[in-house]
Amino acid sequence: MKLFISFTLASSLLLLFLSAALIGVSNADEYHRIPHHKSRSNNQRNRAITEDAAFWKSTAQALLQAELNKKPIEAKAKNVILFLGDGMSIATVTAARIYKGQKAGKTGEEEQLTFDKFPYSALSRTYCTDAQVADSACSATAYLCGVKTNIDTIGLDVNVIYKDCSTQNEAANRVSSIMTWAQAANKGTGIVTTTKVTHATPAGTYAHVANRDWEDDYAQSFDGVDTTTCDDIAEQLVLNDPGKNFKVILGGGRSYFMPNTMPDIETKENGRRRDGKNLIDEWKKAHPTGKYVTSRDELLNLIVSGTDAVLGLFSPAHMEYFMESSTANNPTLEQMTRTAIQMLQKETNGYVLLVEGGRIDQAHHDGRAKLALEEAIQFDLAVAAALELTSTDDTLIIVTADHSHTLTINGYPDRGNNLLGLSGDMGEDDKPYTTLSYANGPGYDTTFANGERINLTNVDTTADSYLQPSAVPIGSETHGGDDVAIFAIGPQAHLFQGVYEQHYIAHVMAYAACVGDGLKFCDAKSSSSRHGAVPLIMLVQFVLVWFAGRLLFRS
Ligand SMILES: [Zn+2]
């Protein structure tokens, strides 16, 4: 009996312990998976959605079939267009896609951007030689020159010393870009951006600077630089190789090319240059059959066939954000891209073009996600225009970003929930929070007051001017260090199928176009000419043997 009681007690205790452990596990699991659904009334969140098993199976089968039918284009790329979404993190791509869909009245998550449909994609590791999180200068040097370098420097290798012009002028430190390689192969070259054309990303195509901020001599003067021996970025674009040979330069930054005695045509404020140089006139002198344009109408009315080169400076500084464009002066990125491609399509040997959606980054820095997503959609429209105007048989199009940002898409919002709205869940402070937020940035002030989180219940978080919440107070939200995406279509696009270092991109462009370091691979790649050459060599050999035979048999 004693034994039976002991056994019963022991078994009960064991069972109790096991149940407690199981409850504990399931509770812990629940805690991690299910948040505070205080605002939810049922488990099926959006009853209007009826995508059943048959739907998902058929969409997956269609995707699978498309993948099985996919064939790499092994040809040489006559043209290369690099689309650079500045700061276009993967979260930005996803958010832009949802935002685009919701603007069109859909739930949004299923929407596709133009480059979502590209056949090949990869990840790009963006760190620089001395920085875990990149800026646009060192990253531009990586994907345009094929060499990683120090943060805040452009077109120079790791031996450059920040703000030291003697290391900028050292020939051994300089690295050339895809534009120099393309020009050596007699290809046309051009740049398009929504920022100043002297900003870090476009400067990566033509400049060598120990400080990305040295956009003109005035900026250099703050660092005590001898501006007579140290070329600023605007000077390098207009006066030096390869910038002076660009067929297309479109963007903002007019005041960096004008002397401080000359009023701007739009703002009437004087230019910035203290050295008296008028670089716009210098460009005109060097391009007598070129055209200088300053407005959208002038750009759209440009007669491409009669114009050898175009310099378009549409704003004294950065061009306006698309959503805030107050004048008809600024063309869209799509309009600039179309003109650029039409200009470069005149080149018999093809072209290399950089198109930057430069203000996605700046809108993020401002802590304004809606603005960033609008810029990303404009960027996508430019990509669509390029696809329309070119052929994937001879044009490699790459879409990527230079670095990430701290934007996150968080919470457990319902399918189709307004991306710019509240997530539908509560924090442990019983206050709602937004789906989009930044790890840091100016949105701190719209997040916290008197040591508490602000209640957003009656705040219009979808407003154009709304600053998404952030956890750390910083006036300018920072970049992020996570990988960014690469999307590619056209010849050699299949070389992007993995996780790569960012500087690999320049080497793929060179290989695909048979320029620069890519030249040494070209015999192997241009299979059509090789296949043509083999029968020719055999024929020559046959004729030689026949003649030799005739000579032998005669004697
Ligand atoms: Zn930035």
Side-chain angles (χ1 to χ4, degrees), residues 319-390:
M319 288 173 68
E320 291 172 307
Y321 285 119
F322 175 77
M323 199 169 79
E324 296 184 334
S325 195
S326 57
T327 68
N329 213 46
N330 280 202
T332 64
L333 187 60
E334 180 196 342
Q335 288 166 337
M336 293 194 288
T337 302
R338 283 183 183 276
T339 303
I341 292 173
Q342 284 157 0
M343 281 289 297
L344 291 168
Q345 278 174 337
K346 297 183 294 178
E347 300 289 323
T348 35
N349 297 311
Y351 58 86
V352 175
L353 171 66
L354 169 76
V355 179
E356 186 200 21
R359 307 214 67 194
I360 302 167
D361 171 74
Q362 292 167 344
H364 278 324
H365 282 306
D366 293 346
R368 297 174 64 187
K370 185 176 184 178
L371 203 55
L373 302 183
E374 287 282 353
E375 291 296 308
I377 287 172
Q378 289 302 309
F379 177 71
D380 190 52
L381 289 174
V383 176
L387 261 191
E388 179 200 313
L389 293 172
T390 60

Side-chain angles (χ1 to χ4, degrees), residues 37 40-47:
H37 286 310
R40 300 203 193 289
S41 54
N42 60 54
N43 285 331
Q44 190 183 333
R45 300 167 170 211
N46 188 341
R47 290 183 182 278

Side-chain angles (χ1 to χ4, degrees), residues 289-550:
T289 53
K291 189 111 168 74
Y292 171 59
V293 295
T294 57
S295 73
R296 178 159 71 198
D297 283 350
E298 282 179 348
L299 181 77
L300 296 180
N301 293 330
L302 186 78
I303 298 162
V304 166
S305 60
T307 309
D308 178 53
V310 60
L311 169 65
L313 297 174
F314 304 102
S315 181
H318 296 308
M319 288 173 68
E320 291 172 307
Y321 285 119
F322 175 77
M323 199 169 79
E324 296 184 334
S325 195
S326 57
T327 68
N329 213 46
N330 280 202
T332 64
L333 187 60
E334 180 196 342
Q335 288 166 337
M336 293 194 288
T337 302
R338 283 183 183 276
T339 303
I341 292 173
Q342 284 157 0
M343 281 289 297
L344 291 168
Q345 278 174 337
K346 297 183 294 178
E347 300 289 323
T348 35
N349 297 311
Y351 58 86
V352 175
L353 171 66
L354 169 76
V355 179
E356 186 200 21
R359 307 214 67 194
I360 302 167
D361 171 74
Q362 292 167 344
H364 278 324
H365 282 306
D366 293 346
R368 297 174 64 187
K370 185 176 184 178
L371 203 55
L373 302 183
E374 287 282 353
E375 291 296 308
I377 287 172
Q378 289 302 309
F379 177 71
D380 190 52
L381 289 174
V383 176
L387 261 191
E388 179 200 313
L389 293 172
T390 60
S391 163
T392 53
D393 291 340
D394 66 1
T395 305
L396 170 63
I397 299 180
I398 301 167
V399 176
T400 190
D402 44 1
H403 53 73
S404 176
H405 265 275
T406 73
L407 180 76
T408 64
I409 306 170
N410 78 131
Y412 299 91
D414 284 359
R415 172 82 178 274
N417 191 51
N418 188 333
L419 181 77
L420 300 170
L422 301 173
S423 70
D425 297 326
M426 298 288 184
E428 292 187 358
D429 55 3
D430 284 336
K431 290 173 187 168
Y433 60 95
T434 53
T435 302
L436 297 183
S437 60
Y438 291 100
N440 62 52
Y444 181 86
D445 293 337
T446 55
T447 311
F448 299 100
N450 307 318
E452 279 185 28
R453 216 158 59 81
I454 294 169
N455 193 329
L456 298 173
T457 308
N458 296 313
V459 174
D460 181 10
T461 62
T462 68
D464 290 358
S465 58
Y466 182 68
L467 301 182
Q468 265 65 33
S470 91
V472 183
I474 300 182
S476 175
E477 180 266 353
T478 72
H479 295 171
D482 38 319
D483 295 352
V484 294
I486 304 169
F487 306 87
I489 189 168
Q492 312 300 330
H494 56 278
L495 297 176
F496 295 111
Q497 301 185 75
V499 182
Y500 305 102
E501 294 289 353
Q502 188 169 46
H503 65 298
Y504 169 74
I505 296 170
H507 294 262
V508 172
M509 292 194 291
Y511 172 73
C514 293
V515 300
D517 283 344
L519 267 171
K520 58 178 175 270
F521 304 113
C522 279
D523 287 344
K525 186 173 11 151
S526 42
S527 51
S528 56
S529 60
R530 226 163 59 122
H531 290 163
V534 170
L536 188 72
I537 291 165
M538 282 174 69
L539 185 71
V540 170
Q541 282 174 340
F542 176 80
V543 171
L544 284 173
V545 170
W546 184 73
F547 264 112
R550 294 251 331 210

